[in-house]
Amino acid sequence: MKLKYILIVACSLFTLTGRADEGMWMLGNLNKQTRKAMKELGLQMPADKLYNPKKPSLKDAVVSFGGFCSGVVVSEDGLVFTNHHCGFSSVQQHSSVEHDYLKNGFVAHSRAEELPNPELYVRFLLRTEDVTKRVLGAVKPSMSEMERSSAVDSMMMVIGGEVSLKDSTLLGVVDAYYGGNEFWLSVYRDFNDVRLVFAPPSSVGKFGWDTDNWIWPRHTGDFCVFRIYADRKNRPADYSPDNVPYHPEYVAPISLDGYKEGSFCMTIGYPGSTERYLSSFGIEEMMNNSNQAQIDIRGVKQAIWKREMDSKDSIRIKYASKYDESSNYWKNSIGVNRAIRKLGILDKKREMEQEIRRWIQQNPEEREKLLQLFTDLELNYKNRREVNRAQAYFIESFLYGPELVQLALKILNFDFEGEQKAVIAGLKDIVEQYSNLDLDIDKEVFTALLKEYRSKVDTTFLPEIYHTIAQKYDGNEKAFVDSLYASSELTTPRGLKRFLERDTTYQIFDDPAISLGIDMLTMLFDMNMQTQAPTTEIIRGERLLNGAIRRMYASRNFYPDANSTMRLSFGTVCGYTPFDGAEYDYYTTTKGVLEKVKAHVGDVDFAVQPELVSLLSSRNFGRYADEKGEMKVCFISNNDITGGNSGSAMFNSKGELLGLAFDGNWEAMSSDILYEPKMQRTIGVDVRYILFMIEKYGKAGNLIKELNIIN
C-alpha cells in the first residue's frame, strides 16, 4: 500500500513540476525540450521513429477514422483497430431485427464476409510543413479584421490546392494554430474502401452505456475492427469487389506485456478541438449558452428517443447511432459545466488574465498595442450575449432537433449539379436518414422542442411559426406539428423522388417543410448578422490574447490547441484521488464486469449475454492474462486527449500498442479549457482484452494470426 501511494504521489509531483503529461504536441514539430521530457519519462524510441516524412515511422500506423475519430493499423493486410463507438453507425447501418449486429456483434470469418461502408474513409498523414510566412504574407497592416480573414482563408486554400494539382491521390489542408498566429500544411492520402470486420456485442462495446459514460472505474470493451482496401497497385480506390487489402507503410506491433503504475504511455491520434487559450469571457459564454443549450434541449429529445428505443427493437436499431452521438456530448456538456464550477476554472483564468494585464501595463510596446484588449473582449462578448444564447438554443431545437426540418434543409441545400460521386453519396445519405426515421417519434420531439425553446428564450427570438401556432392553432403546438407532417411530401422520400423526376404537379418550394426550413435559415442568418460585428472583434481579441500569452511566458514550452490534426500526448499510467478519502486504481478487470452485471440486474445498460458471463467467469484467459492471472479490461494514464482522440493508439515506450483511448474522466471534464494535472485521465481499453474478445468470444483466430504480437 505504501509503495502504491508513493507512486501516485510521484506521478502527481512530476505533473506539477515537469508537466510533461500536458500538451497535444505536433509530431512534425517536436522541439528539444519536448523530446528531452519524453526521454526522461521513459521513451525508448528516437524522434525520427515517431515521425519521418521520408521513411516509415510510427505516425504511418495512425489514421484519422472518418474524420471524427482515430484508429491504428495493426496488420500487413490493412486491419484497423478503432473504438466501438466510432464504428457504431456502420454497425447500425448493417443491422436489422433479423441480423442485430448491435446486440449480438459481428464477425467476418473470411474477406468475402467483410461489409463495405461507402460513407467511411481513413486518412493517413504523409507530412506537415510550416507555411506561416506565406499565409501571413497576404496580410497587410491596413486591413480590417474581415479583410485579414478573407486574405488568410484564400491563401490557405491556394496552398492546400497545390498539393492535389501535383498528385491527385493527395489532399493538402492548411490549418490555423495558436489562434491564427501560425499556419501549417498537412498532406494526406485518403482511402475510401473501408469494410467492417469485427464488432463485439454492445454489451461489451457499450457496457455501462450512459450510466458509465465519462466515468472511472470503467469496464467497457470499446473497440471495433475494420479493414482498408485499395486497388491492385495499393492506391486509393472507391469500393469495388476487385479491390484488395491495403498494405500499409508501417504496422503497429502489439504488446502483451501490459503496464504498471508509472509506465510510460503515449497517445497518437486526431484530437478535435480545445480552447486552452480562451479568455474567461469566452468560457463563461460557452457554459451559459452552447453547453446549457445542449443540456436542456438534448435532454428533452433523448428522453423521448430512449423511451421508444427501450420498448421496441426496430426503433432501438433505427435510433441507436443518433442517440449515441447526441447523448455523448449532452453528458459531456453536463460534466464540463460541473467541472468548471467545481474546479474554479473561471477564477483561475481571471487570475491569469490579471497577470497579463499587469505585464501589458509594465511593457510599453505591449501597452501601446494591447491596452484595451480585455476591455474590448468583455464589451464584445457582452454585446453578443443574448443573441448568441438564443442562437445556441435555436440550433439545438430546430437544426439538430426534428429530422423533418433536417431533411428539408439537406434537400434545400443539395448541390444537384455537383460531381456525380458526391451527388450519389449525398442522395444515399438522405435515403439512409429516411430509413432510420419514425414519424410519430419525430412529431413528438418537434412538439416538445417547440415548447422547450419558447421557455428558454426571449420572445424577440421566436420564429414566425410561433405566431402561426398562436393565430391558426390556438397555441396548440401538437396541432401545428400534426398539420405540418400531414401536408408535407417530405415526410417520406416520395417528395424528393417527385422533385428529381421533375413532377410538374409538385412544386418543392411550396412544400410546408421547405418553407419552414427557409424561415429557419432566414432567422439564423439574421442572428448571425446581429452578432457579426462583435464576433469579428472577438476573433481578433482572442488571437491577440493568444499571442500575448506566448510572449509573456516565452520560456514555457507551448503547444497549440487541438484542431483535428495529428497530435501526440505523453505521460504515465497512474491512478488518482478524485476526492478526499477515495483512491482510484489505474486498471480494472473482468471481475468488475461481473460485479456490475450482478449489481444492476434488470438495467439494460449492464445487461450481458449469458455466454459472455460464462466465458468471463471461467477465467480461461490464456496468454492474455496478466501476471496475476487476471484479465485487465481498461486502464488510465495522464495523457492529454479530447474528442476526436477516440480510437487513438496508446503506445508503450517502445512504440508497441497497449490499447485504445476512448474516454476521459468525469472529475476533469473541463480539460478542453484547462488541463488539471491531479485529475485528468485518459481511459483506454486494454489491447489484451480486445484480442481475448476477438479470439475467445468471436472465434476469429484468423484475425489474430494477422497481427504482429510481441510476447
Side-chain angles (χ1 to χ4, degrees), residues 17 113 117 122 192 197 276 312 387 402 405 437 475 490 677:
T17 54
E113 294 179 2
N117 305 277
V122 297
N192 301 315
V197 177
R276 298 275 171 83
K312 201 171 183 181
V387 183
V405 176
L437 172 64
L490 296 181

Side-chain angles (χ1 to χ4, degrees), residues 512-704:
I514 291 290
S515 298
L516 177 60
I518 292 172
D519 290 344
M520 294 298 181
L521 288 180
T522 301
M523 184 159 185
L524 185 62
F525 177 79
D526 289 343
M527 288 178 172
N528 284 334
M529 291 304 295
Q530 291 178 56
T531 62
Q532 185 180 66
T535 296
T536 300
E537 290 305 309
I538 285 170
I539 292 170
R540 175 179 178 273
E542 293 286 2
R543 184 182 74 252
L544 294 176
L545 174 59
N546 195 306
I549 292 170
R550 292 172 71 198
R551 291 194 301 276
M552 178 179 172
Y553 301 105
S555 61
R556 292 188 183 178
N557 191 15
F558 281 97
Y559 57 90
D561 268 318
N563 59 359
S564 296
T565 58
M566 183 183 282
R567 302 295 178 88
L568 174 148
S569 66
F570 64 96
T572 56
V573 175
C574 56
Y576 68 107
T577 300
F579 49 85
D580 185 45
E583 190 177 293
Y584 283 165
D585 214 337
Y586 64 96
Y587 68 91
T588 59
T589 69
T590 52
K591 180 182 177 183
V593 176
L594 299 173
E595 289 173 346
K596 285 183 176 179
V597 169
K598 187 177 291 186
H600 295 274
V601 174
D603 186 339
V604 294
D605 283 5
F606 297 93
V608 171
Q609 286 89 338
E611 58 268 30
L612 180 56
V613 172
S614 177
L615 177 63
L616 298 182
S617 298
S618 72
R619 297 176 56 82
N620 182 22
F621 304 132
R623 62 174 174 163
Y624 306 124
D626 64 13
E627 65 280 0
K628 297 178 182 178
E630 300 284 352
M631 167 61 66
K632 287 187 170 69
V633 176
C634 297
F635 66 105
I636 51 174
S637 70
N638 54 19
N639 291 166
D640 192 357
I641 68 165
T642 188
N645 269 123
S646 291
S648 292
M650 300 180 75
F651 295 110
N652 63 17
S653 61
K654 299 176 183 178
E656 298 164 350
L657 190 65
L658 294 175
L660 302 176
F662 71 90
D663 216 346
N665 60 319
W666 189 247
E667 296 83 7
M669 294 295 289
S670 57
S671 62
D672 283 358
I673 301 163
L674 190 69
Y675 184 89
E676 283 290 335
K678 291 184 179 180
M679 291 289 183
Q680 186 165 337
R681 295 296 181 266
T682 291
I683 304 174
V685 55
D686 193 307
V687 74
R688 292 169 293 184
Y689 188 57
I690 294 174
L691 302 182
F692 172 78
M693 291 304 304
I694 293 173
E695 181 177 345
K696 301 296 184 181
Y697 185 80
K699 311 296 185 187
N702 56 308
L703 299 180
I704 300 296

